[in-house]
Amino acid sequence: MTGQTDRPHDTGDGTSGTGGPGGAGDTGGTRGPGGTDGPRGTDGPGGTSGSGGNGGYAERKATFDQWKAIASRYALLPLRIFLGVTFIYAGLDKLTDPAFFADTGSGSIGEMMRGVRDGSAIPALVDLALNNPTGFGYAIAFGELAVGLGTLFGLFARLAALGGALISLSLWLTVSWQVNPYYLGNDLAYLMSWLPLLLAGAPVLSLDWLLAERRRIR
């Protein structure tokens, strides 16, 4: 009996022997799965050039966005230069042509106004100019010159654009009104070109911008 009771004790040793599970714990040696560091090696995707490719794409996109921002900032500059130079040229061309300011004769403002009166949208406006063709001619010439200079150098840019729009509008309603189809007349196109500058002014590379910066610093 005593020998039998000893068996449970022996079984205790057995259970301790079943420390084998602990040994089975050594199947932690079956860390082989962990040892299959392959999955960790599959961290390689992080190290793969694909990740570097994503970084390269992000860098290219940032550069592209930067160029887009610069292009947007300077988008109206070509229009400013074109309109400024064109109106300066138009004003100087009239001021250096003595025949333009005559009341009558070929190439004179008076002759031109009489020729377009009946085909204009507002004949009364032409009649107003015909009351003093020479004065009207000088007003147009100096107006174009002032508008061109203000636009090109960006000084009182919105006011200059308003003046340019009014000059183009008056010429469209008188000189270009009878042009058919309408898109062959350039004064309407000039009128539309002034509107963006009237709305935006000259925010970059302009005297207006320089003066605003000085006021801000003070």
Side-chain angles (χ1 to χ4, degrees):
M1 296 287 296
T2 310
Q4 289 177 351
T5 56
D6 288 340
R7 284 191 185 178
H9 179 70
D10 292 339
T11 56
D13 291 341
T15 53
S16 128
T18 57
D26 289 346
T27 58
T30 58
R31 290 177 197 162
T36 56
D37 290 338
R40 230 179 279 185
T42 56
D43 290 347
T48 57
S49 60
S51 169
N54 289 339
Y57 170 77
E59 184 179 349
R60 289 192 299 272
K61 186 177 185 303
T63 302
F64 180 68
D65 289 342
Q66 183 179 7
W67 278 108
K68 281 201 306 182
I70 293 173
S72 297
R73 180 173 173 80
Y74 293 94
L76 292 179
L77 188 59
L79 186 61
R80 253 183 64 201
I81 294 173
F82 169 74
L83 289 175
V85 170
T86 300
F87 268 61
I88 290 172
Y89 176 77
L92 291 176
D93 189 45
K94 292 177 178 63
L95 289 171
T96 54
D97 182 10
F100 177 77
F101 299 104
D103 187 5
T104 59
S106 177
S108 68
I109 182 68
E111 196 69 27
M112 182 178 69
M113 289 291 102
R114 292 185 189 91
V116 301
R117 183 192 180 281
D118 294 336
S120 67
I122 309 176
L125 185 61
V126 180
D127 290 336
L128 185 62
L130 286 172
N131 288 335
N132 186 357
T134 301
F136 179 72
Y138 276 109
I140 290 291
F142 281 113
E144 288 175 338
L145 186 59
V147 164
L149 289 171
T151 300
L152 184 62
F153 294 104
L155 182 62
F156 304 114
R158 284 191 174 90
L159 182 60
L162 176 61
L166 291 176
I167 290 174
S168 297
L169 177 62
S170 64
L171 293 176
W172 176 51
L173 293 175
T174 55
V175 178
S176 302
W177 184 258
Q178 70 275 14
V179 176
N180 188 32
Y182 74 91
Y183 55 78
L184 294 180
N186 59 1
D187 292 308
L188 179 58
Y190 280 114
L191 173 60
M192 294 298 106
S193 298
W194 283 113
L195 298 183
L197 298 183
L198 179 59
L199 295 173
V204 295
L205 298 180
S206 66
L207 292 177
D208 284 345
W209 172 78
L210 183 61
L211 293 173
E213 284 295 304
R214 286 187 175 179
R215 286 193 297 268
R216 185 180 63 80
I217 292 173
R218 290 177 186 175

